[in-house]
């Protein structure tokens, strides 16, 4: 089902994908009203069970796309892009707010020229723009598991800006600007990647097409990070690992994907074993035991995904790779 208020064609459309985002959405929409009053705003809701949809319906200037269930972040952005009418698209997480707009830069981007994929400026500490260096899949895997299982839950660490020039760069999906026509011609996000790594894949495909990957000062945002909706950490980690394996299959082939799947399972077993050993140590024991339980849960999720995809129409290649790794 699609619900929308009438909206004229505009130079800029903002796409916000929501899933139980009622706690953060008002600040996001308020910032758009303040800093981008002429923009078309399209909220694509992925089956929220909280007050998200009611909040959008109470904002008559906001267009609502809903009723399709939870199709994942990338697929929802694709729906928003097909609905929007703007020349440019600003894709914005619901836990992000716009804090400044450079009108001259925005007008220049709206001109008749190639735009590419542009990461927005961020005002938060630790990052200047939402653009990152690409890593090998092994480094990505270690970073994903290290964040989840080796760091205290209350500690947030920004992604290191390791210099790997030959691998190129990618634009984070939290806040970026694209030309709508270019995005649609590139087939948007890969819907096989339900959650995570869809932005890395999109950046790589833009690069293949010779489209620029860069940054823009047209829009500055503040981004909380991982606050868009209540999170099941073990499930989110499982989706990240499935997306990584699927991504590896797409770009490096089935054999590399099988190796990535085997690495995932092996490292999770190691984390379970180390958590069990550390669980006997006073003070840190309880936390280590919980990390061990989480690693076991994630490994169980991956084993289930090898038998059947958790989301219809996604992770087919990842499932094949996991089945081979488990044999």
């Amino acid at each position: 089902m699609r619900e929308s208020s009438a909206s004229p064609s505009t130079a800029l459309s903002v796409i916000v994908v929501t899933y139980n985002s009622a706690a953060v959405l008002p600040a996001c929409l308020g910032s758009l009203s303040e800093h981008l009053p002429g923009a078309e705003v399209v909220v694509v809701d992925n089956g929220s069970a909280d007050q998200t949809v009611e909040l959008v319906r109470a904002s008559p200037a906001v267009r609502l796309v809903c009723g399709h269930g939870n199709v994942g972040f990338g697929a929802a952005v694709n729906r928003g892009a097909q609905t929007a009418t703007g020349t440019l698209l600003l894709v914005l997480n619901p836990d992000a707010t716009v804090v400044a707009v450079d009108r001259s830069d925005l007008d220049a981007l709206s001109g008749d020229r190639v735009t590419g994929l542009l990461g927005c400026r961020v005002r938060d500490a630790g990052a200047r723009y939402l653009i990152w260096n690409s890593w090998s899949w092994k480094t990505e895997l270690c970073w994903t598991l290290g964040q989840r299982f080796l760091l205290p839950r209350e500690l947030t660490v920004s992604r290191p800006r390791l210099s790997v020039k030959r691998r190129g760069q990618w634009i984070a999906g939290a806040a970026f600007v694209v030309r709508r026509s270019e995005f649609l011609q590139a087939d948007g996000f890969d819907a096989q990647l339900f959650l995570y790594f869809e932005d890395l894949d999109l950046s790589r495909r833009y690069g293949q097409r010779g489209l620029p990957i860069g940054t823009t000062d047209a829009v500055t945002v503040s981004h909380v990070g991982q606050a868009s909706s209540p999170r099941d950490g073990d499930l989110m980690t499982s989706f990240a690992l499935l997306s990584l394996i699927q991504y590896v299959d797409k770009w490096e082939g089935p054999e590399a994907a099988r190796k990535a799947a085997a690495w995932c399972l092996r490292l999770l077993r190691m984390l379970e074993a180390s958590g069990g050993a550390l669980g006997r140590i006073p003070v840190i024991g309880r936390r280590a035991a919980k990390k061990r339980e989480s690693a076991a849960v994630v490994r169980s999720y991956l084993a289930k995904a090898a038998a059947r995809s958790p989301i219809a129409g996604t992770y087919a290649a990842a499932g094949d790779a996991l089945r081979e790794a488990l044999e």
Side-chain angles (χ1 to χ4, degrees), residues 136-150 237 241 244-245 258-276 291-300 302 322 325-326:
S136 70
W137 66 257
K138 290 180 182 178
T139 304
E140 290 285 0
L141 173 59
C142 292
W143 171 249
T144 299
L145 293 179
Q147 275 192 306
R148 176 63 180 161
F149 296 108
L150 301 182
T237 301
L241 296 177
L244 175 59
I245 298 168
R258 187 197 64 76
K259 290 180 180 178
W263 268 63
C264 284
L265 297 170
R266 188 180 304 120
L267 290 176
L268 286 167
R269 291 190 191 98
M270 291 173 59
L271 288 165
E272 289 179 61
S274 62
K291 295 288 187 181
R292 175 187 178 279
E293 292 172 4
S294 288
V297 169
V298 171
R299 190 162 63 86
S300 175
L302 294 185
L322 284 164
L326 286 166

Side-chain angles (χ1 to χ4, degrees), residues 54-308:
E54 286 74 9
L55 286 170
V56 178
R57 287 176 176 155
S59 304
V62 178
R63 306 181 70 182
L64 172 65
V65 179
C66 63
H68 49 265
N70 194 348
V71 296
F73 173 76
V77 172
N78 294 347
R79 288 172 182 257
Q82 291 160 2
T83 299
T85 63
T87 301
L88 297 175
L89 303 177
L90 166 62
V91 178
L92 189 68
N93 273 12
D95 61 351
T97 56
V98 174
V99 296
V101 172
D102 188 316
R103 294 286 176 180
S104 60
D105 280 0
L106 195 58
D107 290 343
L109 289 177
S110 300
D112 186 17
R113 66 175 191 176
V114 172
T115 302
L117 190 57
L118 304 176
C120 291
R121 178 190 284 271
V122 288
R123 197 173 65 178
D124 311 309
R128 191 178 177 198
Y129 296 96
L130 288 170
I131 185 170
W132 307 102
N133 291 327
S134 297
W135 299 339
S136 70
W137 66 257
K138 290 180 182 178
T139 304
E140 290 285 0
L141 173 59
C142 292
W143 171 249
T144 299
L145 293 179
Q147 275 192 306
R148 176 63 180 161
F149 296 108
L150 301 182
L151 296 177
R153 203 169 43 244
E154 62 273 12
L155 180 63
T156 300
V157 178
S158 298
R159 180 184 173 97
R161 293 188 178 276
L162 302 180
S163 179
V164 192
K165 293 182 179 179
R166 65 185 178 85
R167 293 187 176 275
Q169 293 181 306
W170 58 279
I171 300 301
F176 65 91
V177 174
V178 290
R179 185 170 294 270
R180 180 172 176 268
S181 60
E182 293 173 2
F183 183 80
L184 294 177
Q185 287 166 9
D187 297 323
F189 283 116
D190 184 348
Q192 278 278 325
L193 301 168
F194 179 78
L195 191 63
Y196 300 116
F197 289 94
E198 65 283 304
D199 41 13
L200 182 56
D201 172 75
L202 180 67
S203 298
R204 196 159 178 175
R205 285 188 285 116
Y206 262 60
Q208 265 193 343
R209 288 170 169 263
L211 295 170
I213 307 295
T215 60
T216 179
D217 293 326
V219 179
T220 301
V221 303
S222 176
H223 183 224
V224 176
Q226 300 186 347
S228 298
S229 61
R231 305 172 71 85
D232 178 335
D234 296 336
L235 183 59
M236 295 300 101
T237 301
S238 302
F239 280 133
L241 296 177
L242 285 169
S243 290
L244 175 59
I245 298 168
Q246 184 77 26
Y247 172 85
V248 172
D249 179 88
K250 180 174 182 176
W251 290 99
E252 300 184 36
E255 179 60 24
R258 187 197 64 76
K259 290 180 180 178
W263 268 63
C264 284
L265 297 170
R266 188 180 304 120
L267 290 176
L268 286 167
R269 291 190 191 98
M270 291 173 59
L271 288 165
E272 289 179 61
S274 62
L278 294 173
R280 305 185 189 95
I281 300 176
V283 181
I284 68 170
R286 181 177 298 179
R287 176 166 291 189
K290 288 183 178 179
K291 295 288 187 181
R292 175 187 178 279
E293 292 172 4
S294 288
V297 169
V298 171
R299 190 162 63 86
S300 175
Y301 277 144
L302 294 185
K304 291 177 181 177
R308 181 181 180 182

